Amino acid sequence: MGRQGDSASRGRATTSGSSTVRKPSPAVYRRRRLFLGAALLMVIALIAGSFALAGAFSGKSEQASSTDGAGATASADPSTQASPSASAPEPTPTPSATPSCNQNLVTVSASTDKAAYGPGENPLLTLKVTNGGTMPCEVNIGTSQMEFLVTSGADRIFSSRDCQAKSEDLVKIIAPGASETANFPWQRNRSVEGCQPVEAKPGGGGAYYIFTAKLGSKASPKAVFQLA
């Protein structure tokens, strides 16, 4: 009887001991392998994504820095900028029409178409500008500069500037020895500054009058004529 009890107790001890060291089933191993594989794939994907993102930001920053650097270099270094004098040829200077013109040799003269006029005849007054130099001269022969003046002794009879409608410039180049002329038909009338009406007429009966042509500060010698 005692042996059987010992055998039974040994048998129970062996059974309880074998239950504490039981190995996991194959299903548990499969679940572990699947979990580890998924975790590994996720880690690889995260690493690859971080590299791609870093490369993208690296490319953008390099492009921006190179553009900014080029702009800063172009604005800071004047040698990299094109100079107008270097890129475009200098315009050829236009030669002056009066490089050595002596204005003192430009003269003004006065003349009439007749020496004496009968009753009812109106004198034609002529102003003539002549370049007596050897070079072309630029001269303003506009109405802003001209004056046809008729006097008799100290009496100022007529001036074309008194009732002049327009005052204009007219610049011309006069060649050496050439002349420009302007004619004015005088109506045998009197005038005053401001073009106020004057009833009195110049006297006739063989009276002499003096015509003086003016151009700017230049005045002609006197031209004498007679009114009958």
Side-chain angles (χ1 to χ4, degrees):
M1 290 295 291
R3 291 179 181 178
Q4 290 179 353
D6 293 339
S7 301
S9 49
R10 282 196 298 268
R12 285 194 296 267
T14 303
T15 302
S16 61
S18 62
S19 62
T20 58
V21 294
R22 187 173 53 188
K23 295 182 179 181
S25 65
V28 173
Y29 281 111
R30 284 196 299 271
R31 285 196 297 270
R32 289 179 180 178
R33 284 196 297 269
L34 290 175
F35 176 77
L36 290 176
L40 181 60
L41 289 176
M42 185 176 295
V43 171
I44 293 173
L46 289 175
I47 294 174
S50 63
F51 274 112
L53 184 61
F57 279 108
S58 176
K60 288 182 180 179
S61 61
E62 289 176 3
Q63 183 178 3
S65 62
S66 63
T67 303
D68 295 341
T73 303
S75 59
D77 186 4
S79 63
T80 62
Q81 299 180 354
S83 172
S85 58
S87 60
E90 295 183 0
T92 303
T94 303
S96 173
T98 58
S100 302
C101 173
N102 187 350
Q103 291 288 339
N104 293 328
L105 298 178
V106 176
T107 59
V108 179
S109 61
S111 63
T112 59
D113 59 332
K114 293 175 66 174
Y117 299 89
E121 291 183 323
N122 295 330
L124 183 66
L125 311 179
T126 299
L127 180 154
K128 185 177 182 180
V129 185
T130 303
N131 179 9
T134 59
M135 300 297 294
C137 271
E138 193 175 78
V139 183
N140 186 349
I141 59 173
T143 55
S144 61
Q145 304 297 313
M146 289 184 179
E147 183 180 10
F148 297 81
L149 179 65
V150 179
T151 59
S152 178
D155 189 7
R156 182 182 183 273
I157 305 295
F158 174 83
S159 171
S160 60
R161 298 181 71 90
D162 291 341
C163 297
Q164 183 171 281
K166 292 183 179 180
S167 178
E168 298 177 341
D169 292 331
L170 178 60
V171 178
K172 284 194 173 184
I173 297 175
I174 304 178
S179 300
E180 292 286 343
T181 60
N183 297 319
F184 185 89
W186 180 43
Q187 304 299 317
R188 292 177 73 150
N189 62 309
R190 282 181 176 270
S191 69
V192 294
E193 294 182 5
C195 199
Q196 299 297 322
V198 180
E199 295 182 359
K201 300 291 182 180
Y208 287 92
Y209 295 86
I210 296 172
F211 164 46
T212 303
K214 293 184 177 181
L215 186 71
S217 60
K218 298 178 183 295
S220 70
K222 297 175 181 179
V224 180
F225 62 95
Q226 188 179 22
L227 294 181

